[in-house]
Amino acid sequence: MPDYFPNVKKIKYEGPDSKNALSFKHYKASQKILGKTMEDHFRFAVCYWHTFKGLGTDPFGGPTMIRNYDDAPDEDTQRRQTMEAAFEFFQKLGVKFWCFHDADIAPEGETLDESQRRLDDVAKQAKKLQKETGIKLLWGTSNMFSHRRFMSGAATNPDPAIFAYAGAKVKKALEVTKYLGGEGYVFWGGREGYETLLNTDMGRELDHLARFLHMAVDYKKKIKFKGQFFIEPKPKEPTKHQYDFDAASCHAFLQKYDLDKHLKLNIEANHATLAGHTFIHELEYAVANDLLGSVDANRGDELLGWDTDQFPTNLYDTTLAMYTILKAGGFKAGGLNFDAKLRRQSIDPVDLFHAHIGAMDAFARGLKAAAKMIKDKKFEKIIQKRYSGWDTAFGQKIESGKATLEDMDAYTRKHGDPEPQSGRQELLENILNEYIL
Ligand code: XUL
Ligand code: CO
C-alpha cells in the first residue's frame, strides 16, 4: 500500500517531558485509570468528512489544502486512495474507531444506483481494511443536507418524493453500517428546520420527522442491526432554526413520538455552545435522563457565533466532560468522535496529526483530573451535604410524592424562616483549578 503520510511514523506515548511534537504527552492507550484503559474510556474515533474530505474551504474561498490521495484522474481510484489514506492515518494515530457519512466515503453519482454502487465498492474495501487493522466503525450516517434536492430538508421536506429519497439513502446507509459492524448510527437533522415560518407547516414537519425515524427503527429491527441509534442536537446552521435544537428539545420530541427507547443523544460540544449552553450542561442533561450515547468532541470560538468545529484543547471542558461521563459509568456503544476540522491556513497533512494529538492529550489530561475528582469525592460530598435535607424524613416525604401543600404550610409554621446556606461557588472553582493545573 502506498505511504500517504510518509513524514509521520506511528505516534507513540513519550510522556510530558518529550520534546517531540509528534508524540503523546498524556494519552497512553494502555494506561489504566479507574480500572479501565484510556483507550477503552475514550473509544476515540476519527471522522472521515473533515479529516479526509475537508480541504479548508469557507464561504469566501475554495480549497487551500492539497492532498496526495486526492489526485487520481477518475472517481473510483480517488475514492479508494482516500480510504487507504484514512486507514494509514488511523493506524499511525493509534485510534481504534472511525465514523463516516455515505457521501464522504462515496461521493454521490448521477443516479441512486450509481451512488450505491460506489458505496458498496468502498464498503467492501473498508471491511477488508478493518479486518486487517482491527479498526472498527463507531457509527455511520447519511448526508442528507449537501445536495440541492435537500435544500428544504430531508424527512421534513414539503415534498414526499424527497422524504422518499432520504428514506432510500438511510436504508442503504443502515445496511452499509451493519455490514461494517458499526456500533451505532447517527441522525443529525442536517436541514430539518426552517428559514421562515411563512412557508413552513411546523407541526406537520415534526410529525414527518418522527415518522421517518420510526421507519428507520422498523428497518433496523428487520435487518437485525444491533447498533445504537443516536440523534445529534444542533440549534441552527445550516437552517435558521433546527428542530433538534438541544438535548432537552430532542428529549421532548423523542418522548412525544414514542422514540425515546430507540435513540440516545450524540452530544456535540460546539452545538451545545451554539444553543447557548455549555458542553457540560448538555452532557449532564443527557446523563440525568439516561440519554448519554456518544460525543462529537470539538469546540467553538467564544467570539464567533457559528459552528467553527475546532479541535478541543480546553482542559476545563475536557475535565468536566470526563467527570460527567465517568459519573455516568462511561460510554457503551458510543465514544469520542473528533467532528473537528483544521483551520483554513493549516494546510499540511502533518497538521492533521498535530490536531488529533492535541485533542487526545487534552482529553487524557481531563480524564486524569476527573478520575482524581471522583476518587477524592470532594465535589460529591459537597453536593451530598447541600442536598442532605432531602434525605431526612421530611425531604423523603416530598420526594416520594406523599406530601401536600398543607404539609408545607404546617412545616413552615413549626420551623420558621430557614437560614440560607452559602453555595460556595468561588471555593469550588478554586478546588477545580487545583485538579486541572
Ligand atoms: C454538523 C455535524 C455533522 C454530524 C453528522 O454540524 O455535526 O457532521 O455530526 O452528520
Ligand atoms: Co457532529
Side-chain angles (χ1 to χ4, degrees), residues 167 238 268 336 362 434:
E268 177 160 329
L336 273 175
E434 293 301 316

Side-chain angles (χ1 to χ4, degrees), residues 107-344:
E108 273 201 33
E110 287 295 312
T111 60
L112 190 63
D113 273 347
E114 173 55 12
S115 302
Q116 298 197 344
R117 182 199 67 77
R118 292 179 182 182
L119 202 49
D120 283 334
D121 177 65
V122 81
K124 217 187 217 173
Q125 182 194 4
K127 188 158 177 142
K128 189 164 166 279
L129 288 165
Q130 285 190 164
K131 204 163 167 234
E132 281 165 18
T133 60
I135 290 161
K136 296 195 268 186
L137 178 64
L138 189 63
W139 50 258
T141 188
S142 177
N143 178 329
M144 302 194 291
F145 43 90
S146 295
H147 193 282
R148 65 189 288 277
R149 84 173 71 82
F150 296 124
M151 68 179 187
S152 312
T156 63
N157 200 289
D159 181 354
I162 292 168
F163 179 104
Y165 205 105
K169 265 171 78 72
V170 167
K171 175 179 176 291
K172 183 68 180 176
L174 283 171
E175 290 162 6
V176 170
T177 302
K178 182 188 177 222
Y179 171 74
L180 290 172
E183 304 212 356
Y185 185 91
V186 165
F187 293 90
W188 168 58
R191 290 181 195 271
E192 313 295 24
Y194 62 84
E195 295 300 324
T196 170
L197 288 171
L198 296 174
N199 65 12
T200 302
D201 185 338
M202 189 197 284
R204 212 162 178 183
E205 291 201 356
L206 286 165
D207 288 349
H208 295 168
L209 182 57
R211 197 74 300 289
F212 192 90
L213 291 171
H214 271 292
M215 286 182 183
V217 167
D218 291 345
Y219 194 63
K220 172 182 193 264
K221 279 190 201 139
K222 186 164 183 192
I223 63 171
K224 299 192 174 59
F225 170 48
K226 298 275 179 277
Q228 173 66 50
F229 274 2
F230 305 111
I231 188 164
E232 182 175 323
K234 185 173 186 182
K236 55 188 169 190
E237 231 197 289
T239 68
K240 179 181 112 103
H241 185 108
Q242 302 268 135
Y243 293 134
D244 38 17
F245 193 94
D246 61 0
S249 47
C250 283
H251 186 202
F253 169 84
L254 294 175
Q255 287 184 108
K256 176 181 173 190
Y257 291 102
D258 211 13
L259 284 160
D260 47 326
K261 31 187 174 317
H262 302 294
L263 287 102
K264 297 219 181 275
L265 298 174
N266 182 38
I267 301 290
E268 177 160 329
N270 201 172
H271 296 182
T273 49
L274 286 180
H277 301 306
T278 60
F279 177 29
I280 323 305
H281 168 92
E282 290 291 82
L283 289 173
E284 198 75 35
Y285 183 90
V287 169
N289 292 284
D290 193 22
L291 285 170
L292 179 69
S294 205
V295 166
D296 276 7
N298 58 15
R299 71 182 158 102
D301 181 300
E302 61 191 22
L303 301 181
L304 301 176
W306 64 88
D307 195 14
T308 60
D309 279 340
Q310 287 169 249
F311 279 85
T313 53
N314 182 317
L315 300 185
Y316 283 87
D317 282 348
T318 59
T319 300
L320 291 174
M322 290 317 297
Y323 186 55
T324 297
I325 291 166
L326 287 177
K327 280 191 298 175
F331 290 119
K332 291 176 183 76
L336 273 175
N337 162 49
F338 293 117
D339 187 357
K341 61 186 176 204
L342 295 178
R343 298 305 87 194
R344 182 168 164 79

